[in-house]
Amino acid sequence: MLVENRAGGERALFLLILLEIAIFAYTGPNFLSAANAFEVVRLGAELGLIALALTPVIVTGGIDLSVGSMMGFCAVAFGYLWRDAHLPIAAAAGCTLLAGILGGALNALAITRFNAPPLIVTLATYSLFRGMAEGLTRGVDNFSKFPPDFLYLGQGYIGGVVPAQAPVFAGFVLFYWLLLHRTTRGRAFRAIGFASEGARWAGIPVNRRLALAYTLSGFTAAVASLIYVAHLGQARADAGTGFELLAITAVVLGGADILGGRGSIWGTMLGLAAIVVLQNGLRVSAFPAELAGILTSAILVVAIAAGRRTKRTAHVTVPQENEEDDMKNSQLAVLSAVIIAGSVIVAASNWWLVQSVTGKTPAVPFAAPSGPTAATKAPHRPTIAIMPKAKGDPYFVSCRLGAEKAAQELGIDLIWDGPTDLDPAKQNEVVEAWITRGVDAIAVAVVNAPGISTVLRKARAKGIKVLTWDADALEDARDYFVNQATPQGIGDTLADEANRILKGKGDFAIITGALTAANQNEWIKFIKARTAAKYPGLKLLTIRPSDDDRNRAFSEAQTLMKVYPKMQLLMAISAPAVPGASEAVKQSGRDDVKVTGLSLPNMCKPYVEAGVASSVVLWNTLDLGYLVVNASKQAVEGTLKPGVTSIDGGRLGKINIEGTQVVLGKPLVFTKANIGQYDF
Amino acid sequence: MTRRILAIGGLWAVLLIILAIQAPDFFAPANLRDMAVTNAPALVVAIGMTLVILSGEIDVSVGSQFAVLSVTAGILAKSGLPLPAVAALTALAGALLGGTNGLLVTGLGIPSIVATLAAMAFWREFLRWTTQGAWIQGLPSTFQWMGLTQAQGEIAIVSSAVLLFAVVAWTMSNLQLGRAVYAVGSRHESARLAGIPVSGITFGVFALMGTFTALAAFLDSVRFSQVQPSAGMGLELKAISAVVIGGTSITGGKGSLWGTLMGVVVLAAIAPALTFLGVNAFWEKAIQGTIILAAVVLERSASKGGPHAR
């Protein structure tokens, strides 16, 4: 009976994937091509390995939340062993796999030896592994320039078609399938998942089998991290962030019971395919990235609910319960309907109110042009695809407003999409999707230069004009870089501001975004260099993270003011951190502490006007968005070409071109005197 | 449970002694007050999470709910409603969000970790999609500190959290309703045979979790004059960690709110304490993970091995 149910669930999942393919084949240009199919495999490999690793764990009724963090730790360990310990690449890889096994063994030890619940143990190691990765690299360091032979594993194509990681992945699928479905160990996992005590009485060495599942999980995460590093060409502490949740979703979607006892490799692969195809299809169709999360969760709920329903009706045989159940069911159905309707009302009113309150237009869900209509428009409207570093970031939101204005003025089709959080791997995936879709120009605000350059080169080879903005890729990977201000320009301006506010002497502290944020770390480097060289009276006390959270910045600022009572300046270099730090200073009532930093004028206006924040540094983000679209259009039309020294920037006037850099100008310094003139 | 409290208490005492020697300013009243105000909303969420975990379930969607409800509170306040109405409507919205989770779990029989995992992704992405990261600005001047002075507002925030704690703690140990939550968490089938409406209790606990999250979002938002839609990132992990450090069994049925209170206090103190001690921020996550792991291992090391369970 169970087998039948499982097959039913898998059939439904299979139909779902077919449905996704059918829809995206219609909405996404070139979605249905062999090249795209292989791309999907490439994108699925790392997540797939993690999902494979989690399948036996979940079948035993356990869970492993530490796999994503383990990837971060392994990536850093690998980079460290290769670059700093000078091991050959193979030896470094070998040691990394060993580290993965040890990490998995640590989980296994705590779970079997101390009988601690897996959820808590792996919650702890989730923090521990990521923390070790951040500690080892001090958040800043990252490792790149790996030899091409190694990068081939993540970027190469066997015979020019098949992605190099595909065979590795296939090998692991086979291995896990054999383990789970063709060995006594696989049966033992199931038995433990159904009833661990029963399994023990039946003579199964429960602890040893559990240890195997968790250790394998660590090992497989290490393999995934190697492929991830080869794919992006860079090893950083943030590798694999969030993979655990997506992988668990894939496994559970594939019909595994989160409570243990049920689950199959075939199901996990179907669940994985459903997620990866959905993500890829949405991107190729230029639908907003946020839909991926929304739809995945909806599918998950429906799939599990359907599965549970059939299972329950198949199992419940106690007769006297039925009547009561029926009655309860009808009541529940009514109650469900009411509550779900209520949630929908909350959601819809929220949406409507947000629209009316913000008075902005960006939330139009399907603003992006859909393929067929765009194609029928006469004669040729260039399609320009622009990617921010992270979509929800207020900084990029205001860039988008400028870009949309330019798109209207200049008569182009604009696709604005990207990851919803800082994620180098997802940026690559979006670019891949745009290449598949076939756009005229791509402009990317780069999170990870070595990581994205391979795919940008591929886009150029296909005749797409490639620009970068906000942060550059490797120089040979793009045609032009729209440069709003160099990291040095920003660092220098901030240091100059600190000097001006402190009048040449005093202590200051920096509140940054995430400790691993590459941008901020670059700025800090130049701030330090400038103060060391020019302003000997300034002393940098410490650097604290805010994780781009206003509230965290607030708490950090509060603590800093108490730990360093003589500190006179807080420099917050992440957009939400400036209002956070300013609010802390305001609430403390201390007027000897000032705030400066890098942020958007609108969210800082109350504090600048009240004199809490002395100044805010930024360039005009509306102009930046405008210029990116303008320059992209001119690159497509050929008015921006090598040898040109200036272009017509529309409302921005004449824009200088220096080599391959389109220069916006110097950063603005907003103070009490001028902040009222800006609205973004 | 007592062993864990002893273990954590021991670790905690060591930290306090180091702090007292190295950085006595940590105990300055102003610092303690700021820590209390900042963490009052986290305590409110942790109270709800304790009930959820005691009933044998889990809710990983509270961080996303917190963000949605913060924005809800901001929008309602901006529309000009009086603040008590804003608080009440936000709480209602929270009950609906929590109730939806409850229905997914009790009505559709989806395991709570899966149901709330889906809710977590859904609400976070939904909010990103609709707000596009835009902050709610230009709130009425009475929004911050609920129209009181800063000192009064701070007292109001902390005392609301403490009052809620007292009421729930008393209910849990003295009323039948509280005992029913323990019973459901210990063993569904026995609770059902004992005449306890298992589905009703589970549903109620989730709805309450949503309501508490709404209250926390409200208390947190009124500390500021603008609302950020990315609030509550990682709040679920913080709340679950606090409950677990406080000795509540993740499988349900065992634990207490007093333990949770201690868990919240320990977690609240770690980050500021490390700053006071001048420890580099890069090691913070590793230290936090070690503390949780140590707590679990210390507590389990001598206890008789129960059945392998989550």
Side-chain angles (χ1 to χ4, degrees), chain A residues 233-423:
Chain A
Q234 195 179 28
R236 291 180 10 160
D238 62 359
T241 308
F243 268 50
E244 61 282 342
L245 293 184
L246 266 182
I248 292 171
T249 308
V251 175
V252 173
L253 196 53
D257 189 339
I258 195 86
L259 306 175
R262 265 189 333 149
S264 72
I265 294 301
W266 172 232
T268 297
M269 288 301 106
L270 283 176
L272 176 74
I275 293 175
V276 178
V277 169
L278 180 70
Q279 288 185 341
N280 174 270
L282 288 172
R283 284 184 193 126
V284 173
S285 311
F287 290 147
E290 292 89 343
L291 271 185
I294 294 178
L295 289 177
T296 309
S297 44
I299 291 172
L300 183 63
V301 165
V302 173
I304 306 302
R308 287 263 141 182
R309 271 261 164 306
T310 48
K311 199 179 111 191
R312 213 192 295 175
T313 46
H315 276 291
V316 173
T317 44
V318 190
Q320 73 268 24
E321 270 189 321
N322 281 345
E323 217 170 303
E324 197 188 332
D325 258 12
D326 280 347
M327 200 180 65
K328 267 199 191 146
N329 278 347
S330 61
Q331 286 174 345
L332 261 177
V334 173
L335 197 56
S336 309
V338 170
I339 295 244
I340 288 173
S343 305
V344 170
I345 291 168
V346 172
S349 56
N350 243 359
W351 183 344
W352 180 78
L353 281 163
V354 164
Q355 300 263 304
S356 61
V357 167
T358 53
K360 291 172 185 165
T361 48
V364 180
F366 294 98
S370 62
T373 50
T376 52
K377 270 182 196 149
H380 178 74
R381 259 168 93 88
T383 303
I384 294 172
I386 302 185
M387 185 175 353
K389 278 183 182 162
K391 256 183 111 179
D393 188 329
Y395 165 79
F396 288 105
V397 172
S398 66
C399 290
R400 178 181 188 168
L401 291 176
E404 276 171 351
K405 194 138 180 291
Q408 264 180 4
E409 255 176 52
L410 302 172
I412 57 133
D413 288 322
L414 173 70
I415 300 175
W416 179 282
D417 204 9
T420 48
D421 40 19
L422 287 178
D423 186 334

Side-chain angles (χ1 to χ4, degrees), chain A residues 489-680:
Chain A
I490 295 164
D492 288 357
T493 311
L494 285 168
D496 293 349
E497 275 302 300
N499 181 57
R500 185 181 67 80
I501 296 162
L502 294 174
K503 302 195 177 66
K505 189 167 161 44
D507 297 350
F508 72 106
I510 291 180
I511 298 181
T512 178
L515 287 174
T516 47
N519 258 17
Q520 272 100 339
N521 287 327
E522 278 286 293
W523 301 335
I524 291 171
K525 198 173 85 190
F526 287 109
I527 293 168
K528 281 181 176 164
R530 180 100 166 170
T531 43
K534 278 191 74 176
Y535 308 122
L538 304 191
K539 190 175 149 215
L540 173 58
L541 296 165
T542 184
I543 299 168
R544 299 291 305 170
S546 71
D547 292 333
D548 294 316
D549 177 9
R550 193 258 326 259
N551 295 17
R552 173 96 197 262
F554 173 87
S555 307
E556 292 290 348
Q558 272 190 334
T559 310
L560 284 172
M561 279 188 282
K562 286 175 206 117
V563 177
Y564 305 102
K566 285 192 198 131
M567 176 187 69
Q568 288 169 309
L569 178 71
L570 279 163
M571 185 187 282
I573 55 174
S574 130
V578 177
S582 303
E583 184 67 37
V585 172
K586 187 183 128 198
Q587 291 188 14
S588 73
R590 285 180 58 178
D591 48 13
D592 57 327
V593 182
K594 295 291 172 208
V595 179
T596 187
L598 200 88
S599 184
L600 293 159
N602 272 358
M603 58 174 69
C604 300
K605 224 173 250 173
Y607 304 107
V608 173
E609 281 169 354
V612 179
S614 303
S615 60
V616 178
V617 177
L618 195 69
W619 42 93
N620 191 325
T621 48
L622 296 172
D623 289 354
L624 177 59
Y626 186 92
L627 182 59
V628 172
V629 171
N630 197 331
S632 304
K633 178 174 183 251
Q634 302 207 28
V636 171
E637 290 171 349
T639 43
L640 175 57
K641 57 175 187 267
V644 171
T645 57
S646 72
I647 56 168
D648 173 18
R651 67 173 168 84
L652 302 178
K654 197 181 104 178
I655 294 288
N656 286 329
I657 314 292
E658 292 170 10
T660 55
Q661 300 208 354
V662 182
V663 182
L664 176 67
K666 283 204 162 148
L668 297 167
V669 178
F670 304 100
T671 59
K672 210 187 231 176
N674 69 356
I675 198 165
Q677 302 161 18
Y678 297 94
D679 180 25
F680 60 92

Side-chain angles (χ1 to χ4, degrees), chain B residues 197-214:
Chain B
V198 173
S199 295
I201 293 284
T202 308
F203 172 81
V205 162
F206 275 103
L208 214 52
M209 174 85 251
T211 314
F212 286 3
T213 308

Side-chain angles (χ1 to χ4, degrees), chain B residues 76-261:
Chain B
L76 290 171
K78 190 159 176 165
S79 72
L81 285 175
L83 272 191
V86 171
L89 285 175
T90 308
L92 184 68
L96 283 175
L97 294 190
T100 310
N101 282 342
L103 275 182
L104 292 177
V105 173
T106 57
L108 298 177
I110 304 174
S112 54
I113 187 161
V114 178
T116 57
L117 191 68
M120 165 172 127
F122 183 90
W123 290 116
R124 183 67 71 188
E125 296 296 325
F126 166 81
L127 200 63
R128 278 189 179 133
W129 192 22
T130 51
T131 64
Q132 293 289 314
W135 288 29
I136 314 288
Q137 293 173 322
L139 295 170
S141 57
T142 51
F143 182 75
Q144 194 174 19
W145 307 121
M146 303 171 272
L148 307 169
T149 65
Q150 183 180 334
Q152 290 169 336
E154 285 175 346
I155 292 170
I157 290 173
V158 175
S159 50
S160 311
V162 170
L163 185 68
L164 186 74
F165 176 84
V167 169
V168 178
W170 184 81
T171 307
M172 287 308 284
S173 47
N174 291 298
L175 290 192
Q176 231 175 13
L177 202 60
R179 308 315 297 171
V181 173
Y182 280 94
V184 169
S186 311
R187 209 163 174 95
H188 271 211
E189 202 50 28
S190 320
R192 200 182 64 80
L193 291 173
I196 293 170
V198 173
S199 295
I201 293 284
T202 308
F203 172 81
V205 162
F206 275 103
L208 214 52
M209 174 85 251
T211 314
F212 286 3
T213 308
L215 191 61
F218 180 78
L219 292 179
D220 191 60
S221 300
V222 295
R223 292 162 53 219
F224 299 92
S225 53
Q226 306 171 327
V227 174
Q228 60 164 2
S230 59
M233 280 285 193
L235 181 65
E236 60 283 342
L237 289 185
K238 195 172 174 186
I240 295 170
S241 303
V243 173
V244 166
I245 289 177
T248 296
S249 160
I250 198 84
T251 47
K254 268 183 292 182
S256 79
L257 279 161
W258 290 100
T260 299
L261 180 63

